[in-house]
Amino acid sequence: MIRVLLVDDQSLIRQGLNALLEIEPDLQIVGEAENGQMAIEQVKALQPDVVLMDLRMPVMDGVAATRAISQQFPKIKVLVLTTFDTDEYVAEALRQGAIGYLLKDTPSEELANAIRAVHKGYSQFSPGILQKVIARVPIQSLSVTPELPPGFTDLTPREREVLKLIATGASNREIAQTLYISEGTVKNHVTSILGRLNLRDRTQAAIFANSILPLLSQPD
């Protein structure tokens, strides 16, 4: 069971999220907070696995709360859920320890899957957010080396195609449609790519791919 803390200054939003997520058999809403200070207190008391964090709140905003939670409770994952997608908000939230950044128009099923993913340590982003990460967050801060790993030469032509599309921020579904293959096949390719390149998740893969796009475009 994944224990989730909801943090948002609007009670209606919290109620809606509670109703949507409580129907998921593996998710449990253990508490709510209406500002960053309350979020820190609730984290101390409840020890959730994932904090669903809004950004603009009174008393203490979500960025400051994310920083405090990440420093004091590094095992607890913070997933931003907000209406703001400006570069500054995205970059600052990630610098302070957020592992993902979703917009509030994210479908409930995708939100539930994102919570499961960040609980496992995988970054999650709404469409378009990943490009802001690539543009604003230094590669070094996400532990991606600009040097080619030994496994790069082992990538198949199809895996290179998939990696190029990951670099654009394309989802598995979009990659499948572009390459005329199934989503399951895309997932297998992504898993293989991460393993060969010794990367943690597709965010690292996207940043790495953007740093070597000319090489990805070279014929074998």
Side-chain angles (χ1 to χ4, degrees):
M1 186 68 70
I2 302 173
R3 295 163 52 82
V4 181
L5 174 67
L6 304 178
V7 184
D8 196 290
D9 62 330
Q10 298 184 45
S11 60
L12 192 60
I13 296 293
R14 298 197 307 274
Q15 291 171 11
L17 289 172
N18 202 321
L20 289 172
L21 297 177
E22 277 288 7
I23 64 176
E24 301 292 334
D26 59 336
L27 303 182
Q28 178 186 10
I29 308 303
V30 296
E32 300 179 10
E34 62 185 33
N35 59 61
Q37 185 60 53
M38 288 183 62
I40 296 170
E41 295 171 358
Q42 290 284 63
V43 165
K44 290 179 181 178
L46 302 172
Q47 294 291 307
D49 299 306
V50 177
V51 178
L52 209 55
M53 181 74 74
D54 190 18
L55 289 184
R56 295 188 63 176
M57 297 179 290
V59 183
M60 176 186 287
D61 65 23
V63 172
T66 295
R67 178 173 61 248
I69 292 170
S70 298
Q71 291 175 348
Q72 298 177 43
F73 308 94
K75 292 184 178 181
I76 295 177
K77 307 298 192 300
V78 177
L79 174 59
V80 169
L81 183 66
T82 184
T83 56
F84 304 97
D85 65 348
T86 60
D87 294 8
E88 291 77 11
Y89 276 117
V90 174
E92 190 60 24
L94 296 176
R95 274 196 292 265
Q96 299 306 329
I99 193 172
Y101 198 109
L102 300 180
L103 300 180
K104 286 183 178 178
D105 60 0
T106 301
S108 58
E109 183 177 352
E110 293 183 17
L111 175 58
N113 287 334
I115 291 172
R116 297 182 182 104
V118 300
H119 179 242
K120 295 178 181 178
Y122 296 105
S123 301
Q124 295 290 298
F125 299 96
S126 287
I129 297 295
L130 183 56
Q131 292 306 305
K132 296 179 185 294
V133 175
I134 293 169
R136 293 297 299 266
V137 179
I139 289 176
Q140 293 82 354
S141 71
L142 291 178
S143 304
V144 177
T145 172
E147 298 179 357
L148 291 179
F152 177 76
T153 56
D154 296 329
L155 293 178
T156 67
R158 178 63 89 187
E159 287 171 348
R160 292 192 182 198
E161 289 180 317
V162 171
L163 186 56
K164 285 172 64 177
L165 290 169
I166 289 175
T168 69
S171 66
N172 284 353
R173 177 177 300 178
E174 291 167 336
I175 294 173
Q177 292 173 345
T178 300
L179 299 179
Y180 300 100
I181 56 180
S182 69
E183 285 189 58
T185 300
V186 175
K187 290 180 180 179
N188 291 337
H189 284 315
V190 173
T191 299
S192 177
I193 291 167
L194 296 180
R196 292 184 194 276
L197 301 181
N198 194 30
L199 299 173
R200 185 182 63 241
D201 53 40
R202 67 190 299 132
T203 302
Q204 286 193 339
I207 295 172
F208 171 78
N210 271 273
S211 72
I212 59 159
L213 277 178
L215 289 176
L216 286 175
S217 300
Q218 291 179 358
D220 293 323

